[in-house]
């Protein structure tokens, strides 16, 4: 809709907090206010914040599970095809293909695939790396990795309204609300 | 397929300078024997692939280049009957100490690469000793002399043959000319000697060999009035008594004797001859003795006399009247072991009259030989277990007399011109003659020799000799059979043979060896030298029916009388004591009298008993070592006959009390890069008076130690290891007594106790040919011939003393030697022991532990059951070797072929890959021979006959101890020997199913019932 | 309390947003690249196919075999009996060239060799590593024609390597020999084509002559 | 803040044994910012002289390592002391030694994470770093110990013109895959955990280069909780994957021996025995490194005595397990009735290599027993000495297993005695150079303590102020009113 056009050049508002519990309460407020394009920033994981924000459970585990299965399959098939099909050779009178001897490598490939998918999956789902972000332009936001907690509401949020949103944030944060502009 | 570029084998038919100079030659050799080039420069395909990989990884395109281009140089005119790349075999012979040994030499595109025995030759029967096989390496020795040298006034001038010829004419006329030759049996040389002496009547002729059987010869003269040559026959012998004698190894006919002995000892088919040995230190014959007593060499006469005495006194043997005195000579100081030995032996000899033989070693005095001859005569051995032929050169003085006489004449300045044909008197003449100094004083001395050696350096002239594989010649086998010698290659270094040089000296003009041999052959009465005859003789290498007539000489009372006196004197000698021990000088089993000192194969060959390589050492028994106060690997200072030498001590059981032995032939100063300074020159101890047995020497420890490079750990070992080793030997090397075996053939399996050998998975079905091997420990005498055969066949490198010290020797066959001692004996109680041998090489397990651990499948099983080792696939993790329970795999820790001379590389077998560094290798059952036969058989659609494939080791084994063949063919020799009761597999309990089985050793002691055969047990007590 | 006092603030430019697509592209490209390299490893270019060195004598197989119709075995006479298909001695050339083209200066190296006894130094074209032991007789006697490995020599002015001669190439044939088997009488006929299907013929020959090429390591490596 | 304590100067000691009192994991007057300052300070302020000295030494030792490798590759394996029968010597001993060291890192970061051992947070980054460097050192040896290094790529299943494949039945190949996977996964785990802290360094950057360098590594992390959510999950999954992995790696390494038929190698006890030993040596190495570091960089309040004591307790446990394994080996050797096995162990204890065996027993079994005494667990000097001794002992354990078993196997005629060459020794020493070089660089440029995790376990993170529900995780079922009331 046209809202975005109105707030051209504006990324959103940023409220900051000093204490964990204020922060949690604020999060619940914003959540209850029905905002969707907003985020909370903290220097470390705060248990309960997911619920407070109403974040949905990630699909990452399923990705990793599938990757793991793939790894196992690759491991077994590789060993079976190379040693028993493509170029079978007689080794110590042992069978060409016997699971016990092939488990260690299958296991390792399973782990390898799963582990890589876990990191890559996390980054992809998080849209990282993303070196540029409007928030980085804000000096005080630098403390998001240090000792301060922030809530940012984006201008693209359907409910975003310069005044009401600002009021909401002011009401929950003792501090002045900062405008984050979005350079073209 | 490298055989293509072997066409340029022809290059080697050219002369020395071309060998030396042409770059093509070097290239050719380099290409032909790519030591490890091919792993730095792998074949085009892989290399380019790699390059591009690497380059592209660096994200840079790079054009690949082809690896060095190869040339093919075919003959301009291909010789008749010559197919490029197909090896040919020629019969020829070599001569050691005046006895010709027949061999078949394989020549690959003009390069002799391997020497094997000549089946038609009576002294070879297809087998060949380690030393004779190593001749091949000597042929290509880069240290061999390449030019004629004239040394004058401290200057050294290079000459050529023409100059020598032009000069030689005048040299020998008039008095003061003399020739010093080695012992020889060549009719041609004999004829030339006559020609020389007729041409120069005043010239003198001497023959000298440091090692000889002159005493035996002299002994027979004492008994029979004329010298005769003794030919033992062990085939039918029930009792063989050896006194300081080693018929199975150091006898000129040893190969034949071993064959006969092994056959006789076969418990199934043999006569089971019983072997008695009284000797000062372990000989290979002593190792196989059923009853052995260790006595000082100086006491051997007494031992034999005691036997004679007992025979006459207790068993009523009748000696010739004149010899009766022998029996009178009794020895009261005999030990219990000696008495026990004498009683058993005397009784046995008597019960087996005419089926027994008494042999005495060359080191013993003539009188002892005389006694033996008398006993053999009295026991009726003559004609059955022993035969005689007339001595070929009865009027020849003994070698010691000859060299002494020559020395005296030189001293009296009677010698103007001395021509030395071969030999190395400056090094090996008796020390008391100071021959070296004398030689330097001879106005004109000419030395014909393979090397510019100690003697050459003291002579005015040095002439390069041609190698026996480079020259025409002939010789007589021990039994007189005429053996021809033909060259397999033009002289690499422009040398000439003794006959060619002597022809010049005899003013017979320069003649080719070919002409000379044909002349003498036609000169021999009764043999028409027709084309046929000549061709056949050349093909066979021997002239049939040319052996000497046997004779049955009557005894000679006068001689016997003096022999008796001689013996009585010998009996006066007291036993050696700790203060005045006895030292025995023995010819070396490898470098012999020193002539093979520059031969890497032989230097690195582990001595059968001590396993020492690259050294000679002072051998003494543990007890003696304790008494004298020296320890293993300690340097002892030995003083004898005015000389004092520092010798490393090797403590070895089985030496007689207070008796030490040391090998001759080491400490060469001018042998070549390989042999120089290896070991100690013990000729300095050797005098005309006491050439072999030196009593009253002084041995003192110096406290310094010297590590001997052995291929097995020294006898000195910690108690745990020692006792464990004793426990294991019984199971690894199984043996029993004949009596026990005949009573219960399964006896050797009774000591097996392991669970049934079942595998976890379905066993693989092996169809078609399945190669297997059986090694008969009852036949093996540990002569090392197989090791050298393997080394020659498979391009196995010589690694040198330091690497042997690092336990990195490369020989594929390890001749395991175990000392067996009575149970419960601790290392420092042992003095005597029984020795057993077990040739150990890859046993080609069906469930090979090495295969499953190789990450790149460089070693895997073939359909014919071989445990293939793929050198070019190996990346060298060494895991296979770790997991090999027999530890028979060898690793190329360095590039051992890097510094080889081009000529040495010419010996390589082109059908076997030369291994690079970082690659594992091992016995392959000579797979190249298997494949060759297989392809040939398939080409003309016939099955492979049993015995058609012969691994190098089996081919050369004089005892025929190694059987190879197809296990799936129930009728093959190997299958049958597998079914024998004696057959067992080493480490069978590991269920790895070795393809090589062993046949247990069966001893034949008197009353060998199980109770009394602790084997080592009573040995331990004897002379303990 | 602890504000950042430094007044300049760093920030990555917007365009760094391409980083993610870039990485994705890189990953794909890498995979593609690897496959290309491996493929290259097998390509003729990496296997010396087309190697045609200049020989000391411009001997033309096209002329001698193609036009004059000489049999391979006239010169390479050991091929049926030994490992090597021997390069002929100069003698063989002279059998004809004593009279034919006895003056041609292109043949001077041959004449020289004949008179001096020094060999003509040919350049090896089909060159296997020295740890590979190939036996001509074993193949030819079973009915593997010259053409299978050497190509249409009879059309070559200069002998050229036409097959990779790599291990996998050898194995292909050892695993499925029927593709290359022919009656032994035709082994040297480079242009021979079977009347019926090669596979049918091959299987029959393999059956009747009991041809089972070994694939053991030491068939070729010793 | 209320978490601030006013205790006597001995406040650094949080090693109380009263289970009712939950020991604090960060002591002293520290808020979030203080933690950030302490940790980032190490990277931001110039390094002490000691660092430069250490770096000079270790980097020159690394050069020694490189020189030795060059010599080896150009000359041949013969420059080592190896021979037949002992085909594996220092190279493999060092390999097993280093791989073992690595295990502590993964164990601390993964297994303790799954076990909710929150004290791990201040040392896990550090330990993971050590893991990576140890694995790097370990990786060097299998690479260079093959006879023809230039063909080592045949170990990888790359399609090739020989149409050959590696032999997947060989334990050595299992090893390649196991160690490869282990190195990769450890690296991922380490890096991922570091992302938020790299972001912290980025945000404190005073210079352009620092900002862009750390910014690039931080991948644009902006502490978004939506990111944290997936981050936590990924971390949990990696931990869950790394746990079986770390157990498998040393098991597979032990297969190199256990799958063979050599007496002294061919035993089923090896996998657990090796893993216990690995953890044992790993913790010893962590302690050896952490004690000087916390002293030099003043991290006593974050890496507290409690942490050291816990690690000492783990060493006591694993050390005892190892000791038990030693005795079990002997028992089985005797009980199995396998004479070869029996001899191998008698030979270990009383044969030519007895000196090595008893060194091993002393360092690995006797030394850790001192940790029964609290004094040895808490006195950093004694603790450090003990850890060093344990490292020595663990190296000898591998030496005894590899060398003494090989030197005397089945046939007495092939017995031998292995002596390392000078090249062997210098290569080994050089590998320490490589290890410490990497470690010092790590200290110099990367956050050696997981700040984000440490903050997560600090009291301030848990609303545990008076008047609220007791200490513990906050469960997010909260409404604003409830909090305000």
């Amino acid at each position: 809709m046209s809202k975005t056009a109105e707030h051209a050049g504006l990324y959103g508002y940023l409220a900051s907090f000093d204490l964990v519990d204020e922060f949690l309460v604020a999060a619940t407020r914003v959540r209850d206010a029905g905002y969707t394009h907003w985020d909370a920033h903290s220097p470390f994981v705060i248990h309960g914040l997911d619920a407070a924000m109403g974040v949905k459970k990630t699909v990452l585990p399923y990705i990793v599970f599938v990757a793991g299965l793939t790894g196992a399959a690759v491991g077994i098939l590789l060993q079976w095809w190379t040693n028993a099909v493509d170029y079978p050779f007689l080794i110590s009178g042992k069978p060409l293909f016997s699971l016990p001897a092939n488990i260690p490598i299958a296991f390792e490939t399973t782990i390898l695939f799963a582990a890589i998918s876990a990191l890559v999956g996390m980054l992809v789902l998080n849209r990282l790396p993303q070196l540029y972000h409007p928030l980085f332009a804000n000096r005080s936001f630098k403390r998001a990795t240090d000792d301060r907690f922030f809530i940012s509401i984006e201008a693209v949020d359907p409910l975003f309204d310069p005044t009401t949103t600002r009021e909401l944030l002011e009401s929950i944060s003792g501090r002045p609300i900062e405008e984050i502009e979005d350079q073209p | 397929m490298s055989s293509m570029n072997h066409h340029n084998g022809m290059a080697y038919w050219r002369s020395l300078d071309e060998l030396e100079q042409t770059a093509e030659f070097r290239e050719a050799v380099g290409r032909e024997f790519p030591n490890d080039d091919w792993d730095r420069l792998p074949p085009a395909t892989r290399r380019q692939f790699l390059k591009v990989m690497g380059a592209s990884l660096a994200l840079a395109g790079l054009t690949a280049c082809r690896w060095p281009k190869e040339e093919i140089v075919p003959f301009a005119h291909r010789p008749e009957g010559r197919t490029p790349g197909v090896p040919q075999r020629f019969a020829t012979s070599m001569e050691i100490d005046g006895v010709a040994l027949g061999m078949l030499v394989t020549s690959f595109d003009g390069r002799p690469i391997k020497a094997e025995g000549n089946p038609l030759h009576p002294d070879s029967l297809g087998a060949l000793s380690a030393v004779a096989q190593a001749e091949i390496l000597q042929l290509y020795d880069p240290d061999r002399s390449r030019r004629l040298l004239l040394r004058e006034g401290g200057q050294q001038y290079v000459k050529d043959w023409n100059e020598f010829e032009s000069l030689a004419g005048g040299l020998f006329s008039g008095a003061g000319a003399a020739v010093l030759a080695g012992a020889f049996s060549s009719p041609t040389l004999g004829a030339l000697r006559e020609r020389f002496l007729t041409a120069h009547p005043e010239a003198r002729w001497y023959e000298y060999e440091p090692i000889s059987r002159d005493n035996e010869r002299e002994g027979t003269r004492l008994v029979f009035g004329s010298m005769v040559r003794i030919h033992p026959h062990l085939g039918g012998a029930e009792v063989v008594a050896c006194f300081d004698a080693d018929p199975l190894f150091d006898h000129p006919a040893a190969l034949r004797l071993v064959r006969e002995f092994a056959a006789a000892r076969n418990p199934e088919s043999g006569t089971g001859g019983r072997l008695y040995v009284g000797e000062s230190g372990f000989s290979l014959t002593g190792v196989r003795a059923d009853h052995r007593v260790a006595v000082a060499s100086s006491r051997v006469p007494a031992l034999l006399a005691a036997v004679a005495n007992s025979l006459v006194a207790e068993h009523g043997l009748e000696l010739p009247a004149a010899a009766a005195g022998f029996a009178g000579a009794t020895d009261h100081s005999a030990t219990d072991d000696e008495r026990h030995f004498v009683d058993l032996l005397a009784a046995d000899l008597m019960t087996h009259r005419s089926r027994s033989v008494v042999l005495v070693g060359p080191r013993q005095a003539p009188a002892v030989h005389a006694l033996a001859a008398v006993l053999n005569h009295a026991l009726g051995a003559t004609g059955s277990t022993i035969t005689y032929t007339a001595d070929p050169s009865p009027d020849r003085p003994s070698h010691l007399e000859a060299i002494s006489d020559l020395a005296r004449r030189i001293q009296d300045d009677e010698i103007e011109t001395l021509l030395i044909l071969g030999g190395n008197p400056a090094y090996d003449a008796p020390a008391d003659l100071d021959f070296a100094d004398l030689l330097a004083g001879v106005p004109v001395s000419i030395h014909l020799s393979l090397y510019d050696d100690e003697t050459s350096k003291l002579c005015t002239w040095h002439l390069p000799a041609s190698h026996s594989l480079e020259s025409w010649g002939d010789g007589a086998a021990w039994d007189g059979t005429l053996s021809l010698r033909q060259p397999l290659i033009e002289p690499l270094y422009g040398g000439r043979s003794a006959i060619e040089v002597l022809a010049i000296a005899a003013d017979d003009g320069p003649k080719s060896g070919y002409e000379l041999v044909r002349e003498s052959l036609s000169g021999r009465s009764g043999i028409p030298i027709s084309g046929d005859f000549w061709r056949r003789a050349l093909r066979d290498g021997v002239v049939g029916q040319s052996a000497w007539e046997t004779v049955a000489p009557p005894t000679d009372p006068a001689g016997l009388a003096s022999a008796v006196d001689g013996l009585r004197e010998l009996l006066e000698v007291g036993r050696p004591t700790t203060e005045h021990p006895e030292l025995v000088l023995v010819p070396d089993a490898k470098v012999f009298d020193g002539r093979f000192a520059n031969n890497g194969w032989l230097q690195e060959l582990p001595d059968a008993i001590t396993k020492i390589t690259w050294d000679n050492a002072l051998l003494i028994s543990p007890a003696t070592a304790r008494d004298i106060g020296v320890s293993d690997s300690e340097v002892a200072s030995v003083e004898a006959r005015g000389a004092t030498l520092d010798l490393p001590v090797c403590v070895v059981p089985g030496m007689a009390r207070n008796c030490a032995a040391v090998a001759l032939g080491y400490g060469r100063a001018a042998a070549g890069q390989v042999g120089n300074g290896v070991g100690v020159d013990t000729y300095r101890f050797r005098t005309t008076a006491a050439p072999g047995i030196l009593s009253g020497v002084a041995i003192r420890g110096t406290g310094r130690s010297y590590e001997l490079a052995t291929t097995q750990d020294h006898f000195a070992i910690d108690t745990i290891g020692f006792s464990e080793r004793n426990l294991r030997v019984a199971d690894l090397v199984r043996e029993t007594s004949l009596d026990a075996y005949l009573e219960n053939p399964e006896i050797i399996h009774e000591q097996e106790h392991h669970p049934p050998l079942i595998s976890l998975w379905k066993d693989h079905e092996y169809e078609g040919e399945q190669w297997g091997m059986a090694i008969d420990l009852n036949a093996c005498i540990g002569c090392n011939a197989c090791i050298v055969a393997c080394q020659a066949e498979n391009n196995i490198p010589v690694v040198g003393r330091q690497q042997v010290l690092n336990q990195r020797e490369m020989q594929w066959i390890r001749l395991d030697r175990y000392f067996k001692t009575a149970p419960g004996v601790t290392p420092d109680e042992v003095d005597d022991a029984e020795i057993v041998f077990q040739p150990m090489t890859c046993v080609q397990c069906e469930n090979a532990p090495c295969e499953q651990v190789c990450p790149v499948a460089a070693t895997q099983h073939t359909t014919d059951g071989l445990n293939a080792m793929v050198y070019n696939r190996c990346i060298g993790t060494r895991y296979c070797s770790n997991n090999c329970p027999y530890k028979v795999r060898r690793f190329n820790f360095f590039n051992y072929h890097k510094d080889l001379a081009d000529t040495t590389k010419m010996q390589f077998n082109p059908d076997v890959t030369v291994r690079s560094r970082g690659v594992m290798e091992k016995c392959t059952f000579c797979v190249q021979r298997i494949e060759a036969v297989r392809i040939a058989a398939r080409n003309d659609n016939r099955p492979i006959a049993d015995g058609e494939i012969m691994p190098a080791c089996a081919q050369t084994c004089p005892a025929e101890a190694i059987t190879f063949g197809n296990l799936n063919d129930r009728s093959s020799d190997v299958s049958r020997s597998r079914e024998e009761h004696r057959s067992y597999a080493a480490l069978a309990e590991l269920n790895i199913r070795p393809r090589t089985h062993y046949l247990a050793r069966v001893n034949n002691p008197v009353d060998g019932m199980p109770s009394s055969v602790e084997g080592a047990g009573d040995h331990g007590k004897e002379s303990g | 309390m602890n504000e950042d006092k430094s007044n300049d603030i760093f920030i990555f430019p917007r365009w760094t947003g391409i980083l993610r697509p870039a990485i994705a592209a890189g990953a794909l490209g890498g995979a593609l690249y690897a496959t290309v390299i491996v493929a290259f490893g097998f390509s003729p270019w990496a296997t010396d196919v087309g190697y045609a060195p200049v020989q000391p004598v411009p001997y033309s197989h096209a002329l001698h075999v193609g036009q004059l119709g000489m049999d391979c075995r006239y010169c390479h006479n050991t091929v049926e009996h030994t490992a090597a298909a021997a390069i002929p001695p100069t003698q063989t050339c002279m059998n004809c060239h004593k009279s034919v083209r006895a003056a041609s200066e292109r043949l001077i190296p041959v004449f020289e060799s004949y008179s001096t006894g020094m060999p003509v130094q040919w350049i090896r074209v089909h060159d296997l590593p020295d740890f590979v032991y190939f036996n001509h007789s074993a193949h030819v006697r079973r009915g593997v024609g010259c053409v299978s490995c050497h190509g249409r020599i009879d059309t070559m002015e200069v002998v050229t390597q036409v097959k990779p001669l790599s291990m996998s190439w050898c194995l292909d044939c050892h695993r499925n020999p029927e593709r290359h088997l022919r009656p032994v009488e035709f082994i040297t006929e480079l242009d021979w084509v079977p009347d019926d299907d090669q596979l049918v013929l091959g299987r029959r020959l393999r059956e009747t002559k009991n041809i089972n090429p070994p694939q053991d390591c030491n068939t070729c490596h010793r | 803040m209320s978490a601030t304590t006013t205790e006597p100067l001995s406040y650094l000691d949080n090693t109380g044994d009263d289970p009712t009192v939950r020991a604090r994991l960060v002591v002293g007057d520290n808020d979030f910012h203080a933690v950030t300052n302490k940790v980032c300070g190490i990277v931001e302020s110039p390094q002490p002289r000691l660092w430069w000295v250490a770096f000079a030494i270790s980097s020159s030792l690394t050069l020694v390592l490189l020189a030795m490798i060059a010599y080896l590759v150009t000359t041949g394996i013969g420059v080592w002391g190896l021979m037949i029968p002992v085909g594996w010597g220092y190279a493999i001993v060092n390999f097993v030694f280093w791989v073992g060291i690595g295990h502590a890192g993964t164990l601390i970061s993964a297994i303790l994470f799954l076990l909710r051992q929150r004290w791990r947070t201040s040392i896990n980054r550090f330990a993971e770093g050590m893991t990576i460097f140890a694995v790097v050192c370990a990786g060097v040896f299998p690479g260079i110990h093959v006879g023809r290094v230039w063909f080592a790529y045949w170990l990888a299943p790359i399609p090739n013109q020989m149409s050959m494949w590696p032999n997947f039945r060989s334990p050595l190949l299992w090893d390649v895959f196991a160690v490869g996977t282990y190195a990769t996964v450890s690296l991922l785990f380490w890096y991922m955990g570091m992302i938020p802290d790299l972001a912290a360094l980025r945000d404190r950057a005073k210079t352009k280069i620092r900002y862009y360098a750390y910014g690039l590594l931080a991948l644009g992390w902006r502490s978004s909780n939506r990111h944290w959510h997936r981050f936590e999950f990924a971390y949990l999954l990696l931990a869950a994957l790394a746990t079986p992995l770390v157990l498998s790696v040393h098991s597979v390494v032990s297969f190199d021996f256990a799958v063979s038929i050599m007496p002294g190698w061919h035993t089923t006890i090896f996998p657990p025995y090796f893993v216990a030993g690995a953890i044992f040596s790993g913790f010893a190495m962590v302690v050896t490194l952490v004690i000087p570091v916390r002293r030099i960089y003043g991290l006593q309040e974050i890496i507290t005595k409690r942490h050291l004591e816990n690690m000492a307790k783990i060493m006591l446990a694993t050390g005892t397990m190892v000791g038990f394994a030693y005795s079990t080996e002997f028992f089985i050797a005797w009980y199995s009735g396998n004479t070869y096995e029996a001899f191998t162990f008698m030979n270990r204890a009383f044969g030519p290599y007895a000196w090595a065996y008893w060194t091993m027993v002393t360092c690995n079994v006797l030394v850790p027993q001192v940790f029964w005494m609290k004094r040895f667990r808490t006195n950093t000097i004694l603790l450090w000495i003990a850890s060093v001794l344990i490292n020595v002992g663990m190296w000898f354990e591998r030496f005894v297993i590899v060398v003494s078993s090989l030197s005397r196997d089945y046939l007495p005629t092939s017995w031998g005695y292995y002596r390392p060459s000078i090249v062997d020794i210098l290569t080994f020493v050089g590998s320490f150079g490589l290890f410490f070089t990497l470690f010092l660089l790590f200290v110099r440029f990367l956050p050696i303590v997981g700040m984000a995790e440490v903050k997560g376990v600090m009291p301030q993170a848990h609303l545990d102020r008076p008047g609220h529900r007791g200490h513990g995780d906050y469960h997010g079922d909260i409404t604003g009113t409830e909090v305000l009331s």
Side-chain angles (χ1 to χ4, degrees), chain C residues 26-191:
Chain C
L28 285 175
L32 195 68
Y33 178 73
T35 20
V36 169
I37 286 302
V38 172
F40 169 83
F42 292 94
S43 74
W45 188 73
T47 57
D48 287 335
V49 169
Y51 177 62
V54 179
Q55 300 291 356
V57 181
Y59 175 84
S60 160
H61 281 82
L63 173 66
H64 292 80
V65 185
Q67 296 176 32
L68 305 177
M70 289 167 60
D71 186 285
C72 307
R73 285 162 293 192
Y74 178 76
C75 300
H76 307 288
N77 57 348
T78 65
V79 72
E80 285 171 305
H81 314 289
T82 69
I87 298 295
T90 318
Q91 221 168 5
T92 313
C93 313
M94 295 306 284
N95 290 350
C96 302
H97 286 289
K98 274 216 185 74
S99 46
V100 183
R101 295 235 190 292
S104 158
E105 71 283 354
R106 304 174 77 198
L107 290 173
I108 283 171
V110 178
F111 301 144
E112 268 175 1
S113 154
Y114 191 65
S115 49
T116 60
M118 291 294 287
V120 180
Q121 307 219 331
W122 302 97
I123 313 294
R124 174 189 289 268
V125 180
H126 299 87
D127 185 6
L128 296 179
D130 291 11
F131 50 73
V132 176
Y133 292 88
F134 177 86
N135 188 305
H136 276 89
S137 69
H139 292 80
V140 171
R141 289 283 196 91
R142 310 279 177 291
V144 178
C146 310
V147 70
S148 298
C149 305
H150 297 286
R152 290 297 300 277
I153 294 283
D154 59 340
T155 64
M156 297 181 189
E157 278 301 328
V158 178
V159 178
T160 312
Q161 180 179 330
V162 295
K163 296 285 197 269
L165 306 186
S166 69
M167 178 168 161
S168 52
W169 177 80
C170 296
L171 278 167
D172 289 343
C173 185
H174 271 237
R175 286 168 177 160
N176 316 308
E178 50 275 3
R179 298 214 196 104
H180 300 276
L181 290 178
R182 53 173 69 188
V184 279
E185 53 269 36
F186 301 124
I187 49 169
T188 59
E189 289 187 18
L190 301 164
D191 52 0

Side-chain angles (χ1 to χ4, degrees), chain B residues 39 45 718 720 728 806 808 816 853-855 872-879 882-883 887 893 917 989, chain D residues 73 78 80 82-83 87-88 145 147-148 154 161 167 170 256 260-262 340 350 408-410 413 417:
Chain B
D39 79 47
T45 55
D718 59 303
I720 295 189
R728 290 186 191 180
N806 299 353
R808 294 170 181 174
D816 287 355
V853 296
C854 178
N872 44 304
R873 176 69 179 174
C874 177
I875 63 172
T877 66
R878 303 180 299 289
Y879 199 174
N882 288 351
N883 209 27
K887 288 287 174 287
F893 285 94
R917 87 168 144 101
E989 61 269 38
Chain D
V73 172
W80 286 348
L82 298 176
M83 38 78 157
W88 284 356
H145 101 293
R148 301 201 291 171
W154 284 348
Q161 291 199 330
N167 170 22
S170 164
D256 285 345
S260 83
I261 64 169
M262 286 297 110
Y340 299 110
F350 307 109
R408 289 186 165 183
D409 64 344
Y410 291 96
T413 45
Y417 189 83

Side-chain angles (χ1 to χ4, degrees), chain B residues 595-609:
Chain B
R595 72 181 69 179
F596 300 113
N598 207 48
N599 192 313
W601 288 353
L602 294 174
Q603 286 285 12
E604 196 152 302
L605 193 60
D607 177 90
I609 308 292

Side-chain angles (χ1 to χ4, degrees), chain B residues 178-198:
Chain B
V179 175
L180 174 59
F184 66 88
S185 64
S186 159
T188 310
L189 190 51
L192 280 164
R193 179 183 61 184
E194 300 319 316
R195 225 174 293 169
F196 174 82
L197 291 175
T198 39

Side-chain angles (χ1 to χ4, degrees), chain B residues 125 127 255-263 957-958 960:
Chain B
L125 306 173
L255 297 172
R256 169 178 64 84
L257 294 172
V258 170
R259 181 76 49 97
E260 292 171 357
F261 174 77
C957 179
E960 293 180 317

